[in-house]
Each structure stands twice: as structure tokens, then as C-alpha cells.
Amino acid sequence: VGIPIGDAHVPHLEKLAGMLAERGIRVEVDASADRMQKKIRNAQKQKIPFMLLAGDDDVAKDAVSFRYRGGEQKNGVPLDEAVEEIVEAVQGRVQI
């Protein structure tokens, strides 16, 4: 789930969502009117494995910040690296 810090960051996350969709990854950008903290809480309740946050610094650096389900965070990850990390994680899951 892509979580923008503000409305101005939605296009940046939609660009990333397009990159992920091209690789077969399900992704959505939460552009709802909820506050960022509520969007994060909702994603945690849904057990979303990756939350991708974007703010002014991320847009300027063409990057995103990862927030993992466990609460850890990794900031300033370039978009290409973010896509590769997610694709590798999805492909590495055991298929049942």
C-alpha cells in the first residue's frame, strides 16, 4: 500500500504503483482523506506486508520510505530498489 504524507505526494506513489503493477505485484495507493497515521494503522490491521510512504524528501530523491508490518522503517529507498525488494519478497514466498 502506498501512503502519501500529503495530497501532493500521490502522483509519486502512483508512479511506483505502476512500476510494481508491471511486474505483477498487487498494489494500491491510499489517497483517502484519512490522516497518515490512520492509513498506517488500517494497513497494519489488514496485515499489509509493505507500506510505502512518500513525503517531500522522498519525491525530491525519487525514493520511498518502507514501513514493514513489524513497525521497522527504512527511509530513502530509490524506486528501482524498492520495486526489486518487493518483487524478490513476493517471488520468495512459498507457494501452497
Side-chain angles (χ1 to χ4, degrees):
V1 171
I3 300 175
I5 305 299
D7 292 340
H9 309 119
V10 171
H12 182 69
L13 286 171
E14 287 176 342
K15 173 183 164 184
L16 176 61
M19 292 168 69
L20 287 166
E22 287 176 7
R23 301 286 299 270
I25 305 297
R26 283 184 308 174
V27 61
E28 64 183 56
V29 176
D30 187 346
S32 68
D34 292 334
R35 291 183 24 234
M36 182 188 69
Q37 289 81 2
K38 183 170 184 182
K39 293 176 186 183
I40 291 171
R41 196 167 44 252
N42 289 342
Q44 286 174 326
K45 285 181 183 178
Q46 295 174 19
K47 299 193 186 288
I48 303 293
F50 298 104
M51 289 168 264
L52 304 166
L53 288 75
D56 291 336
D57 289 345
D58 297 307
V59 172
K61 295 176 182 174
D62 205 29
V64 291
S65 294
F66 270 91
R67 184 175 175 100
Y68 300 94
R69 190 183 320 171
E72 311 88 54
Q73 192 157 328
K74 183 166 49 168
N75 299 323
V77 179
L79 294 184
D80 292 338
E81 289 180 28
V83 169
E84 289 307 315
E85 182 172 339
I86 292 170
V87 168
E88 286 177 20
V90 169
Q91 290 175 344
R93 290 183 60 198
V94 177
Q95 300 296 320
I96 299 174

